[in-house]
Amino acid sequence: GGSIVTEPRLLNILLTTCFVIWLQARPEKHMERVVEQGDLRPMLDHDDAMADLRSILTEREPFYAKAHLTIDTSDLSIEESLAAALRAVPGDIRQGG
């Protein structure tokens, strides 16, 4: 989950053992995607859901920004996001090296 970055030890493990990609999106897009997946928990009985989401993303941004690569997926489909990630990943990693 997105909160893994708030645990320094876990974030360090990720950054030193993996090629980390931050799939960034505008808060409104995050919420739209969650709801499209059928998950209404963020909105149920919570008038300030969007404000809370913005706050969470703002708090985590310094951690997410440590990723090796950032791709703004706000206006991309899943297929376009995947293609962007594959194009950006260094060749030696794609080749398993």
Side-chain angles (χ1 to χ4, degrees):
S3 66
I4 193 170
V5 299
T6 63
E7 295 291 332
R9 184 180 65 79
L10 297 176
L11 178 57
N12 186 55
I13 289 171
L14 285 175
L15 293 171
T16 58
T17 62
C18 304
F19 186 80
V20 179
I21 302 173
W22 174 18
L23 299 177
Q24 183 183 35
R26 293 184 303 274
E28 298 79 15
K29 197 62 166 176
H30 273 282
M31 187 65 77
E32 177 185 316
R33 290 173 178 169
V34 168
V35 172
E36 283 178 356
Q37 294 174 35
D39 188 350
L40 301 177
R41 290 175 298 159
M43 310 265 306
L44 287 178
D45 301 321
H46 199 0
D47 295 335
D48 294 329
M50 187 54 76
D52 287 349
L53 176 59
R54 281 191 179 96
S55 176
I56 289 168
L57 293 173
T58 298
E59 289 171 12
R60 293 179 183 172
E61 186 169 348
F63 303 110
Y64 291 147
K66 294 180 181 197
H68 301 105
L69 172 67
T70 299
I71 299 173
D72 186 342
T73 66
S74 297
D75 298 317
L76 301 178
S77 67
I78 292 171
E79 294 78 12
E80 292 167 330
S81 297
L82 175 59
L86 291 174
R87 281 191 307 271
V89 171
D92 60 326
I93 292 174
R94 284 195 309 261
Q95 302 301 320

